[in-house]
Amino acid sequence: MEILGVDIGGSGIKGAPVDVDKGEFTRDRLRLPTPDGAPPQEVARTVAEIVAHFGWTGPVGVTFPGVVTDGVVRTAANLGDAWIDLAARDLFAEASGAPVTLLNDADAAGVAEMTFGVGRGRPGTVLMLTLGTGVGSALFLDGRLVPNTELGHIEIRGKDAERRASAHAREVHDWGWHDWAKRLGEYLRRVEDLLYPSLIILGGGVSRKADRFVPLLEGVRTPVIPAELHNDAGIIGAAMAAVPAAGRT
Ligand code: BGC
Protein backbone atom coordinates (compact mmCIF):
# COMPACT_ATOMS: atom_id res chain seq x y z
CA MET A 1 0.00 0.00 0.00
CA GLU A 2 1.17 3.51 -0.86
CA ILE A 3 0.58 6.46 1.48
CA LEU A 4 1.92 10.00 1.29
CA GLY A 5 4.13 10.96 4.24
CA VAL A 6 4.95 14.59 5.10
CA ASP A 7 7.49 15.62 7.73
CA ILE A 8 7.28 19.17 9.08
CA GLY A 9 10.55 20.48 10.46
CA GLY A 10 11.97 23.80 11.59
CA SER A 11 13.78 24.44 8.30
CA GLY A 12 12.13 22.17 5.75
CA ILE A 13 8.87 20.40 4.97
CA LYS A 14 9.48 17.14 3.15
CA GLY A 15 7.16 14.64 1.58
CA ALA A 16 7.15 11.47 -0.48
CA PRO A 17 4.79 8.63 -1.30
CA VAL A 18 5.83 5.60 0.73
CA ASP A 19 5.35 1.89 0.17
CA VAL A 20 4.36 1.19 3.76
CA ASP A 21 4.96 -2.55 3.43
CA LYS A 22 8.59 -2.01 2.47
CA GLY A 23 9.28 1.29 4.21
CA GLU A 24 10.57 2.81 0.98
CA PHE A 25 9.82 5.91 -1.04
CA THR A 26 8.12 5.16 -4.35
CA ARG A 27 9.00 8.55 -5.84
CA ASP A 28 11.69 11.15 -5.18
CA ARG A 29 10.90 13.20 -2.12
CA LEU A 30 10.06 16.89 -2.38
CA ARG A 31 11.53 19.34 0.13
CA LEU A 32 10.20 22.88 0.47
CA PRO A 33 11.52 25.45 2.94
CA THR A 34 9.46 25.98 6.09
CA PRO A 35 7.85 29.45 5.73
CA ASP A 36 9.54 32.13 7.85
CA GLY A 37 8.24 32.05 11.41
CA ALA A 38 6.15 28.97 10.50
CA PRO A 39 2.69 30.63 10.61
CA PRO A 40 0.05 27.86 10.58
CA GLN A 41 -1.76 29.02 7.42
CA GLU A 42 1.46 29.21 5.44
CA VAL A 43 2.70 25.86 6.68
CA ALA A 44 -0.69 24.39 5.70
CA ARG A 45 -0.27 25.89 2.24
CA THR A 46 3.16 24.27 1.94
CA VAL A 47 1.76 20.89 3.01
CA ALA A 48 -0.97 21.33 0.39
CA GLU A 49 1.67 22.14 -2.23
CA ILE A 50 3.43 18.84 -1.49
CA VAL A 51 0.14 16.92 -1.67
CA ALA A 52 -0.67 18.60 -5.01
CA HIS A 53 2.85 17.98 -6.37
CA PHE A 54 2.27 14.24 -6.04
CA GLY A 55 -1.34 14.52 -7.29
CA TRP A 56 -2.37 12.85 -4.05
CA THR A 57 -5.98 12.33 -3.00
CA GLY A 58 -5.64 9.35 -0.62
CA PRO A 59 -4.63 9.36 3.06
CA VAL A 60 -1.71 11.55 4.13
CA GLY A 61 0.35 11.18 7.29
CA VAL A 62 1.86 14.41 8.62
CA THR A 63 4.37 14.84 11.43
CA PHE A 64 4.61 17.86 13.69
CA PRO A 65 7.56 18.84 15.92
CA GLY A 66 5.49 19.01 19.12
CA VAL A 67 2.97 17.08 21.18
CA VAL A 68 -0.13 16.10 19.21
CA THR A 69 -3.26 14.59 20.77
CA ASP A 70 -6.33 13.82 18.66
CA GLY A 71 -5.16 16.00 15.80
CA VAL A 72 -4.58 19.00 18.06
CA VAL A 73 -1.12 20.48 18.64
CA ARG A 74 -0.32 20.88 22.34
CA THR A 75 3.27 22.14 22.32
CA ALA A 76 5.47 23.72 19.67
CA ALA A 77 8.85 24.49 21.19
CA ASN A 78 10.46 25.41 17.88
CA LEU A 79 7.55 26.52 15.65
CA GLY A 80 5.88 29.21 17.74
CA ASP A 81 2.95 29.65 20.09
CA ALA A 82 0.40 30.21 17.31
CA TRP A 83 0.29 26.41 17.02
CA ILE A 84 -0.66 25.67 20.58
CA ASP A 85 -4.16 24.17 20.86
CA LEU A 86 -4.62 24.48 17.12
CA ALA A 87 -6.60 21.73 15.34
CA ALA A 88 -3.76 21.29 12.86
CA ARG A 89 -5.03 17.99 11.48
CA ASP A 90 -8.22 19.69 10.27
CA LEU A 91 -6.29 22.71 9.02
CA PHE A 92 -4.02 20.50 6.88
CA ALA A 93 -6.93 18.38 5.67
CA GLU A 94 -8.88 21.44 4.55
CA ALA A 95 -5.87 23.01 2.85
CA SER A 96 -4.89 19.85 0.99
CA GLY A 97 -8.28 18.23 0.38
CA ALA A 98 -6.92 14.90 1.66
CA PRO A 99 -7.64 12.96 4.86
CA VAL A 100 -4.81 13.69 7.29
CA THR A 101 -3.37 11.80 10.26
CA LEU A 102 -1.18 13.98 12.47
CA LEU A 103 1.46 12.81 14.93
CA ASN A 104 4.65 13.85 16.68
CA ASP A 105 7.74 13.79 14.46
CA ALA A 106 9.97 11.74 16.76
CA ASP A 107 7.19 9.21 17.33
CA ALA A 108 6.86 8.82 13.56
CA ALA A 109 10.61 8.44 13.09
CA GLY A 110 10.74 5.93 15.94
CA VAL A 111 7.96 3.77 14.54
CA ALA A 112 9.70 3.66 11.15
CA GLU A 113 13.04 2.79 12.73
CA MET A 114 11.49 0.07 14.92
CA THR A 115 9.81 -1.48 11.88
CA PHE A 116 12.31 -1.05 9.04
CA GLY A 117 15.52 0.12 10.68
CA VAL A 118 17.89 -0.83 13.49
CA GLY A 119 15.07 -1.20 16.01
CA ARG A 120 13.48 -4.10 14.12
CA GLY A 121 12.72 -6.98 16.46
CA ARG A 122 14.32 -5.27 19.49
CA PRO A 123 12.39 -6.18 22.65
CA GLY A 124 12.31 -4.40 26.00
CA THR A 125 12.48 -0.67 26.59
CA VAL A 126 13.94 1.02 23.51
CA LEU A 127 14.40 4.76 23.34
CA MET A 128 14.82 6.58 20.07
CA LEU A 129 16.08 10.16 20.27
CA THR A 130 16.09 12.45 17.26
CA LEU A 131 18.80 15.08 17.29
CA GLY A 132 17.78 17.90 14.98
CA THR A 133 16.48 21.43 15.55
CA GLY A 134 15.25 20.09 18.89
CA VAL A 135 15.58 16.74 20.60
CA GLY A 136 12.63 14.42 20.08
CA SER A 137 11.95 11.15 21.87
CA ALA A 138 10.02 8.00 21.07
CA LEU A 139 9.74 5.33 23.73
CA PHE A 140 8.92 1.70 22.95
CA LEU A 141 8.13 -1.29 25.12
CA ASP A 142 8.41 -4.53 23.15
CA GLY A 143 7.97 -2.55 19.94
CA ARG A 144 4.87 -0.66 21.08
CA LEU A 145 5.04 3.13 21.18
CA VAL A 146 4.27 5.24 24.25
CA PRO A 147 3.24 8.40 22.35
CA ASN A 148 4.23 12.00 23.04
CA THR A 149 7.15 11.52 25.40
CA GLU A 150 9.05 14.81 25.56
CA LEU A 151 12.45 13.85 26.89
CA GLY A 152 14.18 16.63 24.99
CA HIS A 153 12.82 19.03 27.58
CA ILE A 154 14.22 17.67 30.81
CA GLU A 155 16.33 20.28 32.54
CA ILE A 156 20.11 19.95 32.65
CA ARG A 157 22.33 22.57 34.30
CA GLY A 158 19.32 24.89 34.42
CA LYS A 159 18.63 24.60 30.69
CA ASP A 160 16.24 22.76 28.48
CA ALA A 161 18.24 19.65 27.47
CA GLU A 162 17.68 20.21 23.74
CA ARG A 163 19.56 23.49 23.95
CA ARG A 164 22.71 21.49 24.70
CA ALA A 165 22.11 18.12 23.06
CA SER A 166 20.48 18.92 19.69
CA ALA A 167 22.37 19.03 16.41
CA HIS A 168 21.18 22.63 16.08
CA ALA A 169 22.85 23.54 19.39
CA ARG A 170 26.14 22.09 18.11
CA GLU A 171 25.90 24.24 15.00
CA VAL A 172 24.86 27.54 16.58
CA HIS A 173 27.50 27.29 19.31
CA ASP A 174 30.04 26.01 16.83
CA TRP A 175 30.94 23.17 19.21
CA GLY A 176 33.36 20.58 17.90
CA TRP A 177 32.40 16.90 18.12
CA HIS A 178 34.18 16.51 21.49
CA ASP A 179 32.44 19.47 23.10
CA TRP A 180 29.06 18.39 21.85
CA ALA A 181 29.61 14.73 22.79
CA LYS A 182 30.34 15.85 26.37
CA ARG A 183 26.93 17.52 26.54
CA LEU A 184 25.12 14.76 24.70
CA GLY A 185 26.73 12.17 26.98
CA GLU A 186 25.56 14.01 30.08
CA TYR A 187 22.07 14.11 28.63
CA LEU A 188 22.04 10.40 27.78
CA ARG A 189 23.28 9.48 31.26
CA ARG A 190 20.44 11.47 32.76
CA VAL A 191 17.86 9.85 30.52
CA GLU A 192 19.14 6.33 31.16
CA ASP A 193 19.03 6.98 34.91
CA LEU A 194 15.33 7.81 34.54
CA LEU A 195 14.28 4.98 32.22
CA TYR A 196 16.88 2.21 32.20
CA PRO A 197 16.32 1.45 28.51
CA SER A 198 17.90 -1.63 26.94
CA LEU A 199 18.85 0.32 23.81
CA ILE A 200 19.17 3.93 22.72
CA ILE A 201 18.83 4.73 19.01
CA LEU A 202 20.06 8.14 17.84
CA GLY A 203 18.32 9.56 14.79
CA GLY A 204 18.12 12.81 12.84
CA GLY A 205 20.40 13.88 10.01
CA VAL A 206 23.44 13.95 12.29
CA SER A 207 23.12 10.18 12.82
CA ARG A 208 24.89 9.80 9.46
CA LYS A 209 27.99 11.09 11.22
CA ALA A 210 27.62 8.80 14.26
CA ASP A 211 31.19 7.55 13.93
CA ARG A 212 32.34 11.10 14.73
CA PHE A 213 30.56 11.39 18.08
CA VAL A 214 29.18 8.07 19.39
CA PRO A 215 32.70 6.79 20.26
CA LEU A 216 33.25 10.02 22.23
CA LEU A 217 30.25 9.54 24.55
CA GLU A 218 31.50 8.89 28.06
CA GLY A 219 29.97 6.87 30.87
CA VAL A 220 26.78 5.86 29.04
CA ARG A 221 26.04 2.25 30.01
CA THR A 222 23.16 1.64 27.57
CA PRO A 223 24.18 0.49 24.07
CA VAL A 224 23.87 3.50 21.74
CA ILE A 225 23.44 2.90 18.03
CA PRO A 226 22.73 5.24 15.11
CA ALA A 227 19.44 5.05 13.26
CA GLU A 228 19.47 3.59 9.79
CA LEU A 229 16.77 5.60 8.07
CA HIS A 230 18.22 9.02 8.98
CA ASN A 231 16.07 11.87 7.70
CA ASP A 232 13.67 9.59 5.81
CA ALA A 233 12.33 8.06 9.03
CA GLY A 234 9.82 10.86 9.72
CA ILE A 235 8.23 10.63 6.26
CA ILE A 236 8.05 6.83 6.43
CA GLY A 237 6.57 6.84 9.95
CA ALA A 238 4.06 9.52 8.98
CA ALA A 239 2.85 7.37 6.10
CA MET A 240 2.65 4.29 8.36
CA ALA A 241 0.48 6.18 10.85
CA ALA A 242 -2.00 7.06 8.11
CA VAL A 243 -2.67 3.51 6.92
CA PRO A 244 -6.48 3.19 7.04
CA ALA A 245 -7.51 0.93 9.95
CA ALA A 246 -8.84 -1.75 7.60
CA GLY A 247 -5.52 -1.86 5.74
CA ARG A 248 -3.36 -2.44 8.79
CA THR A 249 -1.58 -5.74 9.02
C1 BGC B 1 9.54 19.00 20.62
C2 BGC B 1 9.22 17.55 20.32
C3 BGC B 1 9.82 17.18 18.97
C4 BGC B 1 11.30 17.51 18.95
C5 BGC B 1 11.93 17.22 17.61
C6 BGC B 1 11.03 19.21 20.57
O1 BGC B 1 11.34 20.54 20.84
O2 BGC B 1 9.06 19.36 21.91
O3 BGC B 1 7.84 17.33 20.32
O4 BGC B 1 9.62 15.81 18.74
O5 BGC B 1 11.53 18.85 19.27
O6 BGC B 1 11.39 17.99 16.61
Side-chain angles (χ1 to χ4, degrees), residues 65-67 77-78 104-106 130 134-136 150 153 162:
V67 171
N78 296 300
N104 172 262
D105 57 356
T130 60
V135 171
E150 283 288 322
H153 297 296
E162 71 176 18

Side-chain angles (χ1 to χ4, degrees), residues 26-164:
T26 56
R27 289 176 58 184
D28 287 346
R29 69 161 210 187
L30 174 68
R31 180 187 190 279
L32 298 174
T34 305
D36 269 354
Q41 297 294 343
E42 285 185 39
V43 168
R45 222 171 294 137
T46 307
V47 170
E49 220 177 302
I50 292 175
V51 173
H53 168 84
F54 291 107
W56 205 261
T57 51
V60 180
V62 179
T63 75
F64 186 84
V67 171
V68 178
T69 57
D70 296 327
V72 177
V73 169
R74 301 298 178 184
T75 72
N78 296 300
L79 285 198
D81 289 351
W83 289 93
I84 295 176
D85 294 333
L86 187 82
R89 177 182 56 202
D90 295 347
L91 177 69
F92 296 155
E94 273 160 34
S96 65
V100 168
T101 300
L102 189 70
L103 76 163
N104 172 262
D105 57 356
D107 284 352
V111 167
E113 203 62 51
M114 293 300 285
T115 311
F116 298 111
V118 288
R120 209 172 18 214
R122 302 295 292 242
T125 304
V126 176
L127 179 65
M128 160 110 172
L129 295 169
T130 60
L131 310 173
T133 307
V135 171
S137 59
L139 182 65
F140 295 86
L141 176 60
D142 293 334
R144 186 124 190 251
L145 174 71
V146 180
N148 286 315
T149 56
E150 283 288 322
L151 295 169
H153 297 296
I154 60 173
E155 193 180 302
I156 296 192
R157 295 181 188 253
K159 284 212 175 109
D160 210 19
E162 71 176 18
R163 304 210 169 273
R164 299 163 48 85

Side-chain angles (χ1 to χ4, degrees), residues 8 21 29 43 75 85 97 102 108-109 119 127 146 151 169 178-179 182-183 193 196 203 211 218 232:
I8 298 179
D21 303 307
R29 69 161 210 187
V43 168
T75 72
D85 294 333
L102 189 70
L127 179 65
V146 180
L151 295 169
H178 270 96
D179 287 340
K182 233 191 301 169
R183 291 166 172 90
D193 283 349
Y196 279 77
D211 55 332
E218 278 178 14
D232 295 347

